[in-house]
């Protein structure tokens, strides 16, 4: 008997006239805005310009959405391409299904393009955005609550999640894995912020810490889930992915700390200042090469005592003195 439980919404869509407001999409959108807001504050604190994070996010977010959806569709292809399924559903992102692994990988490609266009280092930008991404994930996981998906094993704990009867699900109370992951992501964000202030993380190490900490939590949370998934050597595919990515993130932190200790002093070069310095540097060279026009004009102008008439006058002066 359950003493208490977390109810699930009867529907994940709120109809605002002809416009359907979907809870899953709403959570993703809020998460993106919060991530950009946090990232902008951290970027400015590092010496960057306000608005740069948002400009690069214009590239990173679309790439991330595409990558997240591709990862989900590829790893759960049976949901869309097996007998009796409609492959068109693979494009219905609002119904849920974004793989964080694909989202981060493709989002990094988009961010790299944006950073390259702005002339700033991608690792520094990623460090600034890392806690915001974790908070965005914490918010985005509530989209699974709206869709009644990705819950864990049956339980009668006071915080059990109520799931109603529906397609591919059985009514009952289950572990609210969406809530576990949401709380874990908040803890990851706080960890990265603390470590960044304490150890002055740079060159992508704050982002790598976020990745490692998230994977550590995702591993045990994923193990609790009961939704259909591919297994490799008895473990869910996403558990193996979390283990591999965790190891890679830790290795990056260790190697990066040895090769590039400390933190970047300049994260966003001031193009106006660089242009001014270039003009200053070119000024003396141009003067030495072309000469000073003012001095040139002065040199070309006859000065007192150097004209032909003055020279003749100076020659006649001794003669006049002798005659007198």
């Amino acid at each position: 008997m359950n003493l208490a439980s977390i109810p699930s919404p009867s529907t994940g869509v709120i109809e605002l006239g002809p416009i359907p407001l979907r809870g899953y999409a709403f959570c993703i959108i809020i998460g993106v805005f919060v991530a950009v807001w946090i990232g902008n504050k951290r970027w400015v604190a590092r010496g960057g310009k306000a608005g740069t994070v948002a400009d690069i996010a214009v590239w990173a977010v679309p790439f991330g959405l595409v990558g997240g959806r591709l990862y989900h569709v590829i790893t759960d292809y049976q949901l869309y391409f097996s007998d009796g399924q409609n492959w068109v559903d693979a494009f219905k992102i609002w119904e849920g299904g974004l793989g964080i692994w694909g989202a981060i990988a493709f989002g990094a490609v988009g961010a790299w393009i944006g950073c390259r266009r702005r002339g700033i280092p991608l690792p520094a930008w990623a460090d600034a955005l890392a806690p915001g991404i974790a908070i965005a994930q914490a918010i985005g996981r509530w989209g699974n609550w709206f869709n009644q998906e990705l819950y864990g094993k049956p339980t009668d704990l006071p915080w059990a999640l109520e799931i109603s009867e529906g397609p591919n699900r059985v009514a009952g109370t289950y572990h609210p894995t969406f809530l576990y992951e949401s709380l874990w992501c908040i803890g990851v964000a706080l960890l990265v912020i603390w470590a960044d202030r304490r150890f002055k993380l740079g060159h992508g190490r704050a982002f790598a810490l976020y990745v490692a900490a998230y994977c550590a939590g995702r591993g045990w949370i994923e193990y609790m889930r009961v939704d259909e998934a591919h297994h490799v050597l008895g473990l869910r595919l996403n558990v193996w992915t979390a283990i591999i990515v965790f190891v890679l993130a830790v290795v990056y932190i260790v190697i990066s700390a040895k090769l590039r200790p400390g933190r970047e002093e300049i994260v966003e070069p001031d193009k106006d200042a660089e242009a001014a310095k270039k003009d200053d540097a070119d000024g003396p060279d141009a003067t030495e090469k072309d000469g000073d026009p003012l001095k040139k004009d002065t040199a070309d102008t006859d000065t007192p005592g150097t004209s032909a008439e003055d020279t003749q006058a100076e020659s006649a002066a001794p003669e006049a003195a002798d005659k007198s």
Side-chain angles (χ1 to χ4, degrees):
M1 178 179 180
N2 292 347
L3 299 177
S5 60
I6 302 174
S8 292
S10 57
T11 178
V13 182
I14 300 176
E15 301 292 344
L16 296 179
I19 302 176
L21 180 61
R22 301 183 182 276
Y24 185 86
F26 192 60
C27 290
I28 297 296
I29 293 172
I30 293 178
V32 169
F33 276 101
V34 171
V36 171
W37 178 73
I38 295 175
N40 181 71
K41 291 179 68 67
R42 286 173 52 82
W43 183 255
V44 172
R46 288 283 302 274
K49 298 179 181 179
T52 296
V53 170
D55 291 342
I56 297 175
V58 171
W59 289 90
V61 172
F63 273 75
L65 291 175
V66 172
R69 188 60 176 178
L70 280 176
Y71 181 89
H72 167 72
V73 172
I74 292 173
T75 55
D76 291 308
Y77 62 87
Q78 72 281 356
L79 300 176
Y80 307 100
F81 301 105
S82 59
D83 294 338
Q85 302 296 332
N86 187 359
W87 63 270
V88 177
D89 292 341
F91 297 95
K92 297 179 180 179
I93 192 173
W94 55 86
E95 293 183 355
L98 285 175
I100 185 62
W101 318 112
I104 293 297
F106 274 62
V109 174
W112 176 80
I113 295 174
C115 288
R116 186 175 178 83
R117 290 168 60 90
R118 293 293 295 263
I120 64 177
L122 174 61
W125 185 85
D127 283 343
L129 202 65
I133 295 177
I135 295 297
Q137 288 179 254
I139 297 173
R141 272 306 177 198
W142 284 85
N144 301 132
W145 176 65
F146 280 101
N147 287 353
Q148 295 196 43
E149 60 183 359
L150 306 187
Y151 43 85
K153 300 175 182 179
T155 183
D156 58 357
L157 291 171
W159 55 85
L161 175 65
E162 296 178 11
I163 296 295
S164 60
E165 190 73 25
N168 301 319
R169 65 175 186 253
V170 179
T173 54
Y174 301 85
H175 277 284
T177 51
F178 84 91
L179 178 60
Y180 298 160
E181 186 168 338
S182 180
L183 294 176
W184 183 269
C185 287
I186 293 175
V188 170
L190 295 177
L191 171 65
V192 173
I193 292 174
W194 170 81
D196 194 26
R197 291 178 178 176
R198 175 67 177 80
F199 302 105
K200 303 297 182 182
L201 301 176
H203 301 285
R205 290 189 287 276
F207 183 81
L209 176 61
Y210 144 72
V211 172
Y214 171 75
C215 289
R218 178 63 183 268
W220 67 267
I221 293 173
E222 183 75 22
Y223 189 74
M224 297 179 64
R225 283 167 45 174
V226 295
D227 54 300
E228 185 177 356
H230 296 287
H231 287 72
V232 178
L233 299 178
L235 292 178
R236 292 167 66 97
L237 176 61
N238 282 334
V239 174
W240 281 110
T241 305
I243 293 173
I244 295 172
V245 175
F246 172 83
V247 172
L248 293 176
V250 172
V251 170
Y252 177 87
I253 293 174
V254 173
I255 295 178
S256 175
K258 292 182 178 180
L259 297 180
R260 292 185 174 183
R263 175 188 283 180
E264 301 92 338
E265 295 183 0
I266 300 177
V267 296
E268 186 171 6
D270 190 336
K271 294 183 178 180
D272 294 336
E274 288 184 350
K277 290 181 180 179
K278 184 177 180 182
D279 291 341
D280 293 341
D282 292 343
D285 295 338
T287 301
E288 293 177 2
K289 181 177 179 181
D290 298 334
D292 189 336
L294 182 59
K295 291 182 179 180
K296 184 177 180 180
D297 292 343
T298 305
D300 292 341
T301 304
D302 291 337
T303 56
T306 60
S307 64
E309 295 177 358
D310 293 337
T311 301
Q312 293 176 357
E314 291 175 359
S315 303
E319 297 178 2
D322 292 341
K323 291 180 180 179
S324 63

